[in-house]
Amino acid sequence: MTTSSRTGNTGRTAPTPALLRTAAELDALPRPAGAERAVVMTMGALHDGHATLIRTAREAAGPDGQVVVTVFVNPLQFGEAADLDRYPRTLDADLATAAAAGADAVFAPGVDEVYPGGEPQVRITAGPMGERLEGASRPGHFDGMLTVVAKLLHLTRPDEAFYGQKDAQQLALIARMVRDLNFGVRITGVPTVRDADGLALSSRNRFLSPQERHTALALSRALFAAQDRLAAQQALHERAKATAPGGDRAAGLNRLGEARAAADAQAVALARPNGAPAAVRATARAVLDEAAARDRHPLVLDYLALVDPADFTEIPDDRESGEAVLAVAARVGETRLIDNIPLTFGALT
């Protein structure tokens, strides 16, 4: 079960992309006249999720356009030096992955090139949205992320930049920065890519033992269970509404012989046409609680939140329609993982 998107091969030959180490080399990169430049920003350790971003950028830029991939492990967004040191560096493999996916150039600068005077004195601040969820767990993370994204956007000068929806809060903040500060670039989100077992692809997955990976699958199971619960609850309400005399949904559900299911879905008690956010949260929480109770390799939950994608504030329990993001973060062993899934309340009405 997955909502992932895997873009197919472009059929394009895969020459080795130009490896650029300095801003001067990047600035000297010939830009095709009249064609678009697309950029994909990464911290390296590329996997098929990154390859999907590059393939999507390649398709969007077209055969005459240009795709630039950045590889830079940004120290500003790491809270602990040990976590920064632990992040995998695999540039040779990254070049091969970028080439196969259709990149024209890889910009892989050193820290001194990006921050020539040391850590920058002037930075982008993420504001209130950046203090929630990931921002609360990792203070300063989003300020560091937005600062480097702003610098890389200025350096690469793309027409369009592509980011994965797995980092939903990051994507929302980048889009907000671009809108609020009038950057001349289009920001495009690409759906999360998952392994066959449902685990969202991440460079950090390589740190999981087989047993820890089994535990980590609770994250995606929780999200998809909540998605299924919402879909079933909304479908049940729609059926009740269609059969209810005078709009009495409880009576309609009873006519369908589904009074017990209706009670489980809070349909009778709440008398709403759609599933309550509380039911979505409770369904996901039950899966995560089970994983946390394991004697070996337990999952330690950081947060589970159902939020508005516009500002990442919590969705109220009386929400009956609109978009939402169900987001989760947890630690399994020494590895911290995040995942999310988009939801739509009132999708069947």
Side-chain angles (χ1 to χ4, degrees):
M1 175 173 54
T2 178
T3 59
S4 304
S5 173
R6 296 183 181 270
T7 304
N9 293 330
T10 62
R12 183 177 178 274
T13 58
T16 302
L19 176 58
L20 312 173
R21 290 292 199 169
T22 68
E25 291 174 344
L26 179 62
D27 194 52
L29 180 68
R31 186 166 186 152
E36 293 215 336
R37 174 181 285 179
V39 69
V40 174
M41 295 182 187
T42 82
M43 291 204 299
L46 303 189
H47 49 64
D48 196 47
H50 297 110
T52 297
L53 286 170
I54 299 168
R55 290 192 293 265
T56 304
R58 175 80 269 161
E59 184 175 352
D64 298 326
Q66 190 175 71
V67 176
V68 177
V69 175
T70 68
V71 174
F72 178 65
V73 182
N74 178 32
L76 297 189
Q77 61 194 78
F78 285 84
E80 300 178 4
D83 198 24
L84 173 63
D85 293 340
R86 188 174 181 232
Y87 196 89
R89 275 81 164 174
T90 58
L91 184 58
D92 289 342
D94 295 344
L95 288 170
T97 298
D104 297 295
V106 171
F107 179 49
V111 174
D112 290 342
E113 183 68 22
V114 177
Y115 304 121
E119 291 194 2
Q121 297 298 302
V122 177
R123 308 187 187 193
I124 301 290
T125 178
M129 195 197 313
E131 298 172 356
R132 299 168 187 140
L133 301 189
E134 283 299 290
S137 298
R138 305 167 67 186
H141 167 73
F142 285 127
D143 290 357
M145 179 275 295
L146 289 178
T147 298
V148 79
V149 167
K151 292 200 69 162
L152 290 173
L153 286 175
H154 288 314
L155 289 168
T156 58
R157 293 177 289 114
D159 298 285
E160 189 168 10
F162 294 81
Y163 302 90
Q165 291 179 355
K166 175 181 166 292
D167 296 295
Q169 192 174 5
Q170 170 181 281
L171 174 59
L173 280 163
I174 292 170
R176 188 61 185 254
M177 176 185 73
V178 165
R179 183 170 66 251
D180 286 354
L181 302 184
N182 298 101
F183 282 63
V185 60
R186 300 189 302 277
I187 302 299
T188 299
V190 178
T192 301
V193 177
R194 300 180 182 276
D195 271 330
D197 58 9
L199 189 66
L201 295 190
S202 169
S203 301
R204 298 176 186 273
N205 291 352
R206 68 186 66 197
F207 299 130
L208 298 170
S209 69
Q211 297 80 9
E212 289 172 341
R213 183 184 176 94
H214 179 72
T215 298
L217 292 176
L219 272 69
S220 57
R221 283 204 313 273
L223 297 178
F224 287 121
Q227 182 185 56
D228 290 346
R229 173 66 179 268
L230 177 61
Q233 193 162 328
Q234 292 185 156
L236 180 63
H237 277 293
E238 288 299 308
R239 292 176 63 192
K241 186 168 65 174
T243 61
D248 186 343
R249 284 184 292 277
L253 290 165
N254 283 319
R255 281 172 175 264
L256 291 169
E258 297 178 356
R260 183 173 181 179
D264 178 61
Q266 300 185 18
V268 174
L270 297 175
R272 294 189 183 120
N274 303 303
V280 169
R281 293 186 180 95
T283 299
R285 172 72 69 168
V287 175
L288 297 169
D289 286 348
E290 180 183 359
R294 291 180 179 147
D295 292 333
R296 299 183 63 191
H297 310 292
L299 180 148
V300 180
L301 184 65
D302 187 348
Y303 61 76
L304 172 70
L306 183 66
V307 297
D308 188 323
D311 57 11
F312 275 69
T313 56
E314 284 281 347
I315 295 290
D317 283 345
D318 60 356
R319 172 69 62 87
E320 295 186 357
S321 63
E323 303 299 317
V325 171
L326 182 62
V328 61
R331 188 173 293 276
V332 180
E334 297 299 317
T335 305
R336 187 176 183 276
L337 301 171
I338 63 172
D339 202 351
N340 71 84
I341 193 169
L343 298 174
T344 302
F345 289 88
L348 299 179
T349 58

